[in-house]
Amino acid sequence: MLQAWLGPGFRAWLGLSGVTPGELEWLGFSSRERLCASGAGLLTQGQTRWSILPWSIMQDSFLLGALAQALLAGEPRVELLVYRCSRTLGKSWRWTGTLAERYLRTFGTGTRPRHRDVVRFLRDDAGFQRARSNYSDELLVSELLTAPQQMQPPAAAGAWDIPAIDSLGDLAKWLGLDPGELRWFADLKALGYQKTGEQFRHYHYRILAKRFGSLRLIEAPKPRLKELQRQVLLWILEKISPHPAVHGFVKGRSIKTFVAPQVGQRVVLRMDLRDFFPTFGGVRIQNLYRTVGYPEAVADLLGGICTNVTPRDVWNGIGADFGPAYVGEARRLHVRPHLPQGAPTSPALANISCYRLDCRLSALAESASASYTRYADDLAFSGGEEFEKGVERFGLHVAAVLLEEGFRVNHRKTRVMRQGVRQHLAGLVTNQRPNIVRRDFDRLKAVLTNCVRMGPESQNREERQRFRSHLEGRVAFVEMISTGKGRRLRAIFERIRWPE
C-alpha cells in the first residue's frame, strides 16, 4: 500500500497488491474531508501564488480526468460504462445512463478516443454540466480506474493477422529494444529537429530538383531505424489490405494493372497530388494505429517510428535553382511530423490512410459511369461518351473531394486526354493497349546498341555502380508491358560484353 500526495491536504491510497497487467487498478479516498481539504501548503523556490492553479480548478480537472478514465477503462457498452462511472463516483447516479448513451453516439463507431478527447467531451456535454451544477457538493471521486492495456480492434480487423501489442513494454520486446531505445527511435519530443548533431538524427537528407523550380526532399532512415520500419511493414501494415483501386506499392499489382482499366477509353482524366507524403501528419498516422486497435501509448510510439520532423539546418545553403516560394512551402510542410519520403513504411501507410479518399472517389467515378485507379499520387479516371460530356465538371468535383480530405491538386499536371491525342498514364500509352512511349523505347534501344558496339563503360555517363542491373531492370520493365518489344531489347542486351 503506497501513500501519494496529490495536492494541499489531499492524499490517496494506491493499492498495488494482487494487481496483474490488464486488470483495473484503484485509488481509494477515505472520506470527503481528505478530498476537499485545502491546506495552505508551502511554496517551493521559484514559485509564486500566481503559479498555482486555484484548488477548485484542480479539483474540477481531476473529476473530469477520473470520469474520462472510467469511460475508457474497458468495453464501450452502456451498462459497463454506467458501472464504471458509479465505481468512480462511489454511488449510482441516474444521469450516468444518458451520459453513457451520448458517449457512445459520439465515440462508439469511430476510432477509440484519446483521454483528452473524452475530457473535452465531458466539459462540453450539457447534461453532465447540468448534473455537476446540481450536485457539485456530492460529486466526489471514490476510485480512479485505469484503462486496461489491451488491444480493441474493430470488427473489420478480424481478418488482419496483426500482432497483439498491449503496452510500451510489449512493443519494446517485439522490436527487440529496451523502453529507452524505443523512445529514442520514436523521438516523440523531436530531438532530431532541435539538436544539430548528426548523432541525434535517424535520417540522411538529400534535396532533389523538380520541374518549375520545385523540390523533393528524400529522407532515408539510417540502418537501425530502417530495420524497425521494415518489421512494422512486414508484420502490421502489409496485413491490412488497401482499397482495390490502389495499385502503387501493393503486392500483386503494378503500373500495368494501374493503367489496364483506362485502356481504350474515349476520354482519360489524369490528376496529380502535390507533396503527397509530407501531407500525412504525425497525428493522422497515430490515429491510424489506434483505428487498427492499438492502445494510445503504443499507437503514439508506432507513429513516431514511422514519421519524422526535418531539422531546420537541412535547408541551409540550398542552391538558387529552387524557387523561394517552393523552399518556404517545403519548410512549412516538413517542420511538423510527417511521412518521410524514403522510409519503407511510408507508401503502405499512405495507401491505408487514403482508404476513405479512395472510397469517395470510386463512388464518384461510378456515379459518372467512369473507372478510377490510383498509383501513389497519380489519379486516373476514364469513361465513354457520357463521361466525356462532363469530364471538366467532374474534375472540379474530384478537386473538391481532395481538398476536403486534406490534399491539394497539382493543376500543372492535370490532363484531359481524348482519343484524338496520345493518352498516357505513368509513362505508358493507353490508347489501344498498354505500350511503352516510342521515344523511351528508342532511347533505351540506342543505349543497348552502343553498349554492344563501344562497350558498356561508354554509356554509363551517370557512373552507376551497378550499371548492368540498371539496364537489365529497364529491359525487364519493357518485357512486362510489351512482350514483343521486350524480346527485341533482351536479344541486344545478351550481346553486350561485360568486363570481368
Side-chain angles (χ1 to χ4, degrees):
M1 188 73 67
L2 300 179
Q3 181 175 312
W5 187 82
L6 300 179
F10 184 63
R11 290 179 173 83
W13 278 261
L14 173 63
L16 296 179
S17 59
V19 176
T20 58
E23 292 185 351
L24 298 180
E25 303 173 9
W26 57 271
L27 284 169
F29 308 104
S30 59
S31 67
R32 178 182 173 186
E33 287 72 24
R34 275 200 178 93
L35 179 65
C36 297
S38 54
L42 297 176
L43 296 176
T44 61
Q45 185 177 4
Q47 281 187 319
T48 67
R49 289 294 176 186
W50 296 103
S51 64
I52 300 179
L53 290 173
W55 179 245
S56 60
I57 297 178
M58 295 174 63
Q59 184 179 3
D60 179 68
S61 299
F62 185 74
L63 174 63
L64 292 176
L67 280 176
Q69 288 192 192
L71 293 171
L72 289 169
E75 191 176 350
R77 297 208 317 251
V78 171
E79 62 273 15
L80 296 179
L81 293 171
V82 171
Y83 168 73
R84 293 197 296 271
C85 288
S86 301
R87 283 190 58 185
T88 297
L89 299 175
K91 61 180 292 188
S92 298
W93 294 91
R94 294 178 59 183
W95 51 266
T96 56
T98 56
L99 175 67
E101 293 173 355
R102 293 192 297 273
Y103 173 83
L104 288 180
R105 283 198 297 269
T106 305
F107 300 113
T109 58
T111 302
R112 180 169 55 181
R114 293 180 181 270
H115 182 270
R116 62 172 179 260
D117 297 330
V118 181
V119 170
R120 189 180 301 113
F121 161 78
L122 292 172
R123 185 176 289 117
D124 297 339
D125 184 75
F128 174 70
Q129 294 302 324
R130 186 165 51 251
R132 188 169 60 166
S133 175
N134 294 337
Y135 307 104
S136 58
D137 294 335
E138 301 178 55
L139 289 181
L140 305 174
V141 177
S142 176
E143 294 184 29
L144 182 61
L145 308 181
T146 59
Q149 295 297 306
Q150 60 184 15
M151 290 187 63
Q152 295 181 6
W160 302 341
D161 185 21
I162 58 177
I165 304 174
D166 297 327
S167 66
L168 183 151
D170 291 343
L171 179 59
K173 183 178 180 181
W174 184 71
L175 291 172
L177 305 171
D178 61 50
E181 290 175 326
L182 176 58
R183 293 190 185 94
W184 165 252
F185 284 111
D187 196 17
L188 295 180
K189 296 184 178 180
L191 291 178
Y193 171 77
Q194 301 172 27
K195 305 294 184 180
T196 56
E198 185 67 24
Q199 67 272 22
F200 294 104
R201 299 177 180 176
H202 300 302
Y203 290 83
H204 298 293
Y205 300 94
R206 185 160 54 105
I207 300 176
L208 303 178
K210 298 170 63 177
R211 296 178 61 188
F212 308 112
S214 61
L215 57 88
R216 174 181 288 119
L217 177 64
I218 302 299
E219 302 171 273
K222 294 180 178 179
R224 187 67 182 96
L225 178 60
K226 182 182 289 187
E227 181 182 343
L228 300 178
Q229 291 174 342
R230 283 176 174 164
Q231 184 172 344
V232 173
L233 173 66
L234 178 63
W235 297 104
I236 298 179
L237 301 179
E238 288 187 350
K239 307 293 184 180
I240 305 174
S241 301
H243 193 275
V246 178
H247 295 265
F249 313 106
V250 180
K251 288 185 177 180
R253 306 177 198 175
S254 65
I255 193 172
K256 187 175 183 178
T257 62
F258 165 63
V259 304
Q262 325 298 347
V263 172
Q265 297 291 342
R266 188 177 182 92
V267 63
V268 176
L269 170 64
R270 186 186 73 199
M271 302 181 74
D272 183 84
L273 302 179
R274 293 181 60 184
D275 304 309
F276 183 61
F277 288 110
T279 299
F280 298 92
V283 174
R284 186 171 185 175
I285 302 304
Q286 291 171 348
N287 288 343
L288 186 151
Y289 283 114
R290 288 195 296 115
T291 302
V292 171
Y294 288 109
E296 181 176 337
V298 175
D300 289 350
L301 291 168
L302 285 171
I305 288 174
C306 299
T307 57
N308 182 43
V309 180
T310 306
R312 288 168 289 188
D313 59 357
V314 169
W315 310 102
N316 294 345
I318 191 169
D321 298 336
F322 306 102
Y326 291 110
V327 175
E329 184 179 5
R331 284 177 179 268
R332 289 191 295 271
L333 282 171
H334 293 83
V335 77
R336 61 181 177 82
H338 60 274
L339 286 183
Q341 186 168 354
T345 49
S346 294
L349 284 169
N351 282 339
I352 299 170
S353 299
C354 284
Y355 192 89
R356 186 174 68 175
L357 169 67
D358 295 322
C359 288
R360 295 184 66 182
L361 293 182
S362 294
L364 182 63
E366 184 178 355
S367 67
S369 301
S371 60
Y372 161 69
T373 54
R374 180 174 65 83
Y375 194 98
D377 56 353
D378 289 331
L379 313 180
F381 304 88
S382 65
E385 184 176 355
E386 182 180 353
F387 179 62
E388 184 180 16
K389 293 178 181 178
V391 63
E392 286 82 7
R393 185 177 180 183
F394 178 85
L396 295 177
H397 285 290
V398 172
V401 171
L402 292 171
L403 188 63
E404 290 174 358
E405 295 292 332
F407 297 95
R408 295 178 300 164
V409 178
N410 188 347
H411 294 287
R412 288 180 181 269
K413 295 186 177 181
T414 299
R415 296 288 185 274
V416 176
M417 300 169 286
R418 294 177 168 82
Q419 284 186 332
V421 301
R422 186 179 69 182
Q423 299 171 337
H424 56 97
L425 295 170
L428 299 181
V429 179
T430 63
N431 288 73
Q432 295 180 347
R433 61 181 181 277
N435 207 347
I436 304 294
V437 177
R438 181 73 186 186
R439 182 183 65 254
D440 298 338
F441 173 79
D442 291 341
R443 186 179 294 119
L444 178 56
K445 181 180 178 182
V447 170
L448 294 174
T449 303
N450 289 336
C451 286
V452 173
R453 294 176 178 175
M454 297 176 285
E457 298 85 355
S458 65
Q459 303 302 303
N460 189 12
R461 298 182 178 88
E462 298 179 1
E463 298 182 354
R464 300 178 182 272
Q465 294 182 352
R466 304 181 62 182
F467 186 56
R468 178 173 183 171
S469 299
H470 168 72
L471 286 182
E472 190 168 15
R474 294 181 62 184
V475 171
F477 174 74
V478 176
E479 288 178 321
M480 178 184 70
I481 303 300
S482 176
T483 305
K485 291 183 177 180
R487 188 183 302 113
R488 301 205 310 260
L489 294 180
R490 177 66 65 179
I492 302 174
F493 179 83
E494 297 296 339
R495 292 163 50 196
I496 300 175
R497 294 184 179 180
W498 300 97
E500 298 295 336

